[in-house]
Amino acid sequence: MSLTNASPADAAQAAKSASHILATLSAEARNEALTAMHDALAAARDEILAANARDLELARQAAADGKLSQSLVARLDLGKKGKFDDMLKGILDVRDLEDPVGRVTLRTRLDHGLELERVTCPIGVLLIIFEARPEVIANIAALAIKSANAAILKGGKESTESFVAISRVISAALDKTHVPNDAIQLVTTRDVISDLLSLDRYIDLVIPRGSSDLVRHVKNSTRIPVLGHADGLCALYLDPSADPALAAEVVVDSKTNYPAACNSLETLLVHDAALSTLLPGVASALAAKGVELRCDPASKAALAAVPGLKLVDATDADYRTEFLNLTLAVKTVAGVDEAIAHINAHGSHHTDCILTSDAQQAERFMAGVDSSGVYWNASTRFADGTRYGFGTEVGISTNKIHSRGPVGLEGLMIYKYKLRGHGQVSATYGEGEGKKRYLHERLPLEH
Amino acid sequence: MSLTNASPADAAQAAKSASHILATLSAEARNEALTAMHDALAAARDEILAANARDLELARQAAADGKLSQSLVARLDLGKKGKFDDMLKGILDVRDLEDPVGRVTLRTRLDHGLELERVTCPIGVLLIIFEARPEVIANIAALAIKSANAAILKGGKESTESFVAISRVISAALDKTHVPNDAIQLVTTRDVISDLLSLDRYIDLVIPRGSSDLVRHVKNSTRIPVLGHADGLCALYLDPSADPALAAEVVVDSKTNYPAACNSLETLLVHDAALSTLLPGVASALAAKGVELRCDPASKAALAAVPGLKLVDATDADYRTEFLNLTLAVKTVAGVDEAIAHINAHGSHHTDCILTSDAQQAERFMAGVDSSGVYWNASTRFADGTRYGFGTEVGISTNKIHSRGPVGLEGLMIYKYKLRGHGQVSATYGEGEGKKRYLHERLPLEH
């Protein structure tokens, strides 16, 4: 790892060269580097926490002056119970995942002695732009080394002292390993984001980790592919056949388990036949958790007699709003097709759910909704790489190519085709007389 | 299929809506549409060829006036022997490929009665920008319907009469099928490309089919992901251990089989120990096919005594040039690592080859070269979807994400996660006391 004051272009070019070496390292060499990184960080805990304390001091002053939010100060604090240990454990967790590099995903015999193989390989150079959490730097460095991608890291200025301290420790540790120094670079120069985002010649993928404003800004400022999502506008459709207790439980969890999360519920679509049967129970359960409902006229009328609800008239904008708090938009629909159309037009293609006991309705919904996650009778909150069993999460993507939904290490990989021959030439093959035909024989993936 | 004079935004929005319907059609419904399309085009041969003759007439006049190239006129001619029949057969070939939609690629039991499934689905709306070949419209419509993607087609103005005729026939044929009319749209309005390229809200992927200038222009003009390659700067590294006859054959095929193709050889890298042993034979074989060699001093000196060669001093620019004709740049390198570094720095990450009898050198080369195709003892000309056995080719991609190398139907697909539960909520699971653990049990892909 290097802590660079080089120009963005020089840093990116160096990262590209390093990526070509990193791509050829064995899994053992990459795992050893992760162990070295872990051990060095564990040994340098005091020094890193001291640096973090200096960041915190400044941040607290800024917060007191009203220039910084308290929640940002909290995110900055690496000394909080368990946080440093979690960071260390995260490195070993990533190390112990299955190696994503060099997996054979297709093998075809084109002709005798001419075999095509499709093999996973790293994408190349990642640019990770993140905000205040200092532990992200260790997490990202681990993911990059495990996946054999080089990475350029650009963190928020509030964590500079912490980043520099962590980066020095990682750098010294990696020096004794086979990972080239330029493979992981921390850019500390100010105001370089737009320069970095223009370097599509060297940088292959941008991963913004932070607020939806950050993601939106990055997406609008670069031609490099961006992995992530700006919004999580998740909807749930309540079919009349849903079980009432199940409906209340799933809606409450989806909305209130962690309202600020991207996989939390923002819009409830209710079949008109469920307005008087299911909605009152669901609404009461939500009200018990403090949720305010923004209702269309039909749903509001259906709830008029229910005591203890916070009801507000919905506007059109409410159906396009990611509230990220205890507010839920409610809308009446005539059936599953209207629900699907509403979600496809208003949603953010993140995660959407149907509650029903009718399998046909469920399958229709899951086929028709154009989102990365389509759920039947399960909370939208399950949309998460760790919950999906990926071991780690790079982010959640609402892109329509490459990776969609929670992205694990696989999302940092691409593939190459290896063709091994014995001097075969293309002129030999074809449809004409005297020409050979291709065999195109599918071979087992393992030798 | 509709022939639209709607605004680009309206056309794209209509395509998006149609894509959501198309995505839910069965394989049978999509295949029936392809049969209907084929039959209608076969029946309308005379009418289409008459329209094509009108395009040709204008094009021949333009060519006579020096305003159009003769090769473009040739590409325009749908009446050329076999061309119409190839177009028809292409539709049935695509129809008969394995259905790419709804393939399960991951199944995980998160908990009892809570199963996660990753299923392939179409990307959404494709924008295909192409130049003069009128048969492309049928080919693209077939690929889009087979893969359940909606497509907006924008063709070159020289083929307008042919496009309109083909599009009318396809439109009438699809009217009797389940494929929504707006799923395939031909835009005939002029000067709308920049408008279309700004519609990232509706269009998910752009596929430019034509010259590298077209591809470069499109890549530089949009934030929508672009599938394709601007350049094919393929290199071959000649190791001293290569078999001399094999070397001559593979280099000649790579360079001369079809010099204008993107998978043709442009740079020959020669190990210095092979300059006097292998290079003379290779150079003579190339000269016999009329190839001019642009040599660095060392390779020129090694060839000085060989009769019948066309030798020119190479400039730096020659090693970055896609000649697309019978010119080949030759450069001496000290070994495989220098060859890898040269290719990674100068190449276009398309297809590169090593000729050697040393397996270790070959594997080192294939691991180190950052290209979509890395070949050992085989012609670079094999880089092609049909030759790889994909049945069809959407294009060849040098992108680092999503699809790389020759792209078949698979490259037009993404996936979604379906989660089927029985009312599970996220609050139940976790590390704390009284919380359930996820099972994360990998399930077989087939039920």
Side-chain angles (χ1 to χ4, degrees):
Chain A
M1 177 154 198
S2 63
L3 184 67
T4 185
N5 281 306
S7 78
D10 289 345
Q13 188 172 14
K16 192 70 162 194
S17 297
S19 79
H20 293 135
I21 294 165
L22 188 55
T24 64
L25 294 186
S26 67
E28 292 68 38
R30 283 176 279 117
N31 288 343
E32 276 166 25
L34 293 175
T35 306
M37 203 174 114
H38 168 273
D39 295 350
L41 287 171
R45 180 192 293 251
D46 293 345
E47 167 193 341
I48 293 167
L49 289 180
N52 183 242
R54 294 193 294 274
D55 280 334
L56 267 176
E57 169 90 33
L58 284 173
R60 288 203 181 104
Q61 278 168 18
D65 299 346
K67 287 177 190 156
L68 216 61
S69 74
Q70 285 298 344
S71 63
L72 195 142
V73 176
R75 284 204 295 276
L76 208 66
D77 186 359
L78 205 50
K80 217 158 60 179
K81 189 171 170 281
K83 216 169 180 185
F84 201 93
D85 290 325
D86 283 352
M87 177 180 88
L88 292 176
K89 180 170 178 298
I91 299 169
L92 298 186
D93 286 350
V94 166
R95 180 196 65 186
D96 296 339
L97 290 172
E98 209 182 322
D99 186 25
V101 182
R103 284 174 41 216
V104 176
T105 59
L106 184 80
R107 281 183 68 222
T108 308
R109 178 174 288 137
L110 304 192
D111 193 2
H112 299 291
L114 184 64
E115 286 188 12
L116 182 72
E117 202 175 71
R118 187 172 64 197
V119 188
T120 60
C121 62
I123 288 176
V125 178
L126 316 175
L127 168 62
I128 294 108
I129 301 173
F130 52 109
E131 294 182 327
R133 297 174 193 270
E135 69 276 21
V136 167
I137 186 173
N139 174 240
I140 291 287
L143 288 171
I145 292 171
K146 182 74 186 182
S147 64
N149 283 289
I152 298 171
L153 313 179
K154 174 68 189 140
K157 66 176 188 311
E158 292 78 10
S159 320
T160 301
E161 294 261 356
S162 315
F163 289 148
V164 169
I166 294 175
S167 152
R168 283 221 175 95
V169 171
I170 296 179
S171 180
L174 292 183
D175 252 357
K176 292 163 206 137
T177 74
H178 294 284
V179 172
N181 215 273
D182 288 336
I184 312 284
Q185 301 194 38
L186 178 70
V187 178
T188 52
T189 333
R190 283 188 176 216
D191 306 324
V192 291
I193 290 185
S194 67
D195 288 345
L196 287 167
L197 291 176
S198 72
L199 294 167
D200 53 336
R201 176 150 181 218
Y202 301 119
I203 298 171
D204 300 299
L205 185 66
V206 186
I207 308 178
R209 308 239 312 204
S211 68
S212 58
D213 282 346
L214 173 71
V215 179
R216 225 183 310 270
H217 169 71
V218 167
K219 287 201 175 198
N220 287 332
S221 314
T222 187
R223 271 205 294 276
I224 307 171
V226 179
L227 194 151
H229 66 279
D231 302 294
L233 213 161
C234 303
L236 186 147
Y237 166 58
L238 191 54
D239 183 72
S241 72
D243 176 80
L246 180 155
E249 261 199 282
V250 173
V251 173
V252 165
D253 188 78
S254 298
K255 182 67 228 178
T256 70
N257 180 257
Y258 183 18
C262 62
N263 56 14
S264 288
L265 185 65
E266 305 293 5
T267 300
L268 178 65
L269 302 170
V270 187
H271 191 294
D272 51 25
L275 284 176
S276 58
T277 56
L278 293 173
L279 184 60
V282 168
S284 296
L286 286 166
K289 293 281 190 173
V291 177
E292 173 190 300
L293 303 178
R294 306 248 172 121
C295 294
D296 67 339
S299 62
K300 195 178 179 199
L303 295 174
V306 181
L309 304 184
K310 289 195 255 178
L311 300 182
V312 175
D313 289 324
T315 65
D316 275 356
D318 288 327
Y319 301 114
R320 300 191 180 275
T321 300
E322 190 184 7
F323 297 106
L324 297 171
N325 60 27
L326 292 176
T327 310
L328 180 66
V330 183
K331 187 178 161 70
T332 309
V333 292
V336 69
D337 289 333
E338 193 181 326
I340 293 170
H342 176 96
I343 292 170
N344 285 338
H346 295 74
S348 66
H349 313 288
H350 191 297
T351 304
D352 301 287
C353 176
I354 179 171
L355 301 184
T356 181
S357 57
D358 179 336
Q360 264 196 310
Q361 296 284 306
E363 295 300 330
R364 190 179 180 91
F365 179 90
M366 289 191 284
V369 169
D370 180 19
S371 294
S372 68
V374 282
Y375 289 11
W376 175 21
N377 289 348
S379 168
T380 56
R381 289 275 298 134
F382 287 113
D384 172 277
T386 311
R387 289 167 185 189
Y388 276 14
F390 297 164
T392 186
E393 184 180 282
V394 176
I396 294 185
S397 162
T398 52
N399 295 354
K400 296 299 286 288
I401 64 161
H402 193 68
S403 287
R404 202 178 186 203
V407 179
L409 276 181
E410 248 184 89
L412 301 181
M413 309 307 293
I414 183 71
Y415 52 79
K416 55 165 72 167
Y417 287 96
K418 295 184 178 179
L419 182 64
R420 297 181 178 92
H422 290 82
Q424 285 89 344
V425 297
S426 67
T428 312
Y429 302 86
E431 293 296 317
E433 215 182 318
K435 297 280 186 182
K436 289 183 84 173
R437 307 285 180 277
Y438 291 98
L439 296 180
H440 291 155
E441 188 185 330
R442 191 68 69 93
L443 299 173
L445 297 186
E446 266 142 67
H447 285 272
Chain B
M1 177 154 198
S2 63
L3 185 66
T4 184
N5 283 305
S7 78
D10 289 346
Q13 188 172 17
K16 192 72 166 192
S17 297
S19 79
H20 293 134
I21 294 164
L22 188 56
T24 64
L25 293 187
S26 68
E28 293 69 37
R30 283 177 279 118
N31 288 343
E32 275 165 28
L34 292 175
T35 306
M37 203 173 113
H38 167 273
D39 296 350
L41 287 171
R45 180 191 293 253
D46 293 345
E47 167 192 342
I48 292 167
L49 289 181
N52 184 241
R54 294 194 293 276
D55 280 334
L56 266 177
E57 168 91 34
L58 284 173
R60 288 205 181 101
Q61 280 170 16
D65 299 347
K67 288 179 188 154
L68 217 60
S69 73
Q70 285 298 347
S71 65
L72 195 144
V73 176
R75 284 203 294 275
L76 209 64
D77 186 358
L78 205 49
K80 218 160 57 181
K81 187 169 171 279
K83 215 167 178 186
F84 202 94
D85 289 325
D86 284 352
M87 177 180 86
L88 292 176
K89 181 171 178 297
I91 298 169
L92 298 187
D93 287 350
V94 167
R95 180 196 65 188
D96 296 339
L97 291 173
E98 208 182 321
D99 185 26
V101 183
R103 285 173 41 216
V104 176
T105 58
L106 183 80
R107 281 182 69 224
T108 308
R109 178 173 289 136
L110 304 192
D111 193 3
H112 298 291
L114 185 63
E115 286 188 12
L116 182 73
E117 202 175 71
R118 187 172 65 196
V119 189
T120 60
C121 63
I123 288 176
V125 178
L126 316 176
L127 167 62
I128 294 108
I129 301 173
F130 51 109
E131 296 182 327
R133 297 173 192 270
E135 70 275 21
V136 166
I137 186 174
N139 172 242
I140 292 288
L143 288 171
I145 292 170
K146 182 74 187 183
S147 63
N149 284 288
I152 299 171
L153 313 179
K154 173 70 187 136
K157 67 177 186 316
E158 292 80 10
S159 320
T160 301
E161 294 262 356
S162 316
F163 289 148
V164 169
I166 295 175
S167 150
R168 282 220 177 94
V169 172
I170 297 180
S171 181
L174 293 183
D175 253 357
K176 292 161 207 140
T177 74
H178 294 283
V179 171
N181 215 272
D182 289 335
I184 314 283
Q185 301 195 39
L186 178 70
V187 177
T188 54
T189 333
R190 284 185 175 219
D191 307 324
V192 291
I193 290 185
S194 66
D195 287 347
L196 288 167
L197 290 176
S198 70
L199 293 167
D200 54 334
R201 177 155 178 213
Y202 301 119
I203 298 172
D204 299 301
L205 185 67
V206 186
I207 306 179
R209 307 239 312 203
S211 67
S212 57
D213 282 347
L214 173 72
V215 178
R216 226 183 310 267
H217 169 72
V218 168
K219 287 201 174 200
N220 288 333
S221 314
T222 187
R223 270 207 292 275
I224 307 171
V226 179
L227 193 151
H229 65 279
D231 303 293
L233 212 161
C234 304
L236 186 147
Y237 165 59
L238 192 54
D239 182 71
S241 72
D243 176 80
L246 179 154
E249 264 201 276
V250 173
V251 174
V252 165
D253 188 79
S254 298
K255 180 69 229 178
T256 70
N257 180 257
Y258 185 15
C262 62
N263 56 15
S264 288
L265 186 64
E266 306 293 5
T267 300
L268 178 64
L269 301 169
V270 187
H271 190 293
D272 49 26
L275 284 176
S276 58
T277 55
L278 294 174
L279 184 60
V282 168
S284 297
L286 287 166
K289 293 280 189 173
V291 177
E292 173 189 301
L293 303 177
R294 306 246 172 125
C295 295
D296 68 340
S299 62
K300 197 179 178 200
L303 295 174
V306 182
L309 304 184
K310 288 196 255 180
L311 300 182
V312 175
D313 290 323
T315 64
D316 274 357
D318 287 328
Y319 301 113
R320 299 191 180 276
T321 300
E322 190 183 9
F323 297 105
L324 297 171
N325 61 25
L326 291 176
T327 309
L328 180 66
V330 183
K331 188 177 160 71
T332 309
V333 292
V336 69
D337 289 333
E338 194 181 328
I340 294 169
H342 177 95
I343 294 169
N344 285 339
H346 294 75
S348 67
H349 312 288
H350 190 295
T351 304
D352 302 286
C353 177
I354 180 172
L355 301 184
T356 182
S357 58
D358 179 336
Q360 262 195 314
Q361 296 284 306
E363 295 301 330
R364 190 177 180 93
F365 179 90
M366 290 192 284
V369 169
D370 180 20
S371 293
S372 68
V374 282
Y375 288 12
W376 175 21
N377 290 348
S379 168
T380 56
R381 290 276 296 135
F382 286 113
D384 171 278
T386 311
R387 291 169 183 187
Y388 277 14
F390 298 165
T392 187
E393 183 181 282
V394 175
I396 294 186
S397 161
T398 52
N399 294 354
K400 297 298 288 286
I401 65 161
H402 193 66
S403 286
R404 201 179 186 202
V407 180
L409 278 180
E410 246 183 270
L412 301 180
M413 310 307 292
I414 184 72
Y415 52 79
K416 56 165 73 166
Y417 288 95
K418 295 185 177 178
L419 182 64
R420 297 180 177 92
H422 289 83
Q424 286 87 346
V425 296
S426 67
T428 312
Y429 302 85
E431 294 295 316
E433 213 183 321
K435 296 281 184 178
K436 287 182 86 174
R437 305 287 179 277
Y438 291 99
L439 296 179
H440 292 155
E441 188 185 332
R442 189 69 68 93
L443 299 172
L445 298 185
E446 265 141 66
H447 286 272

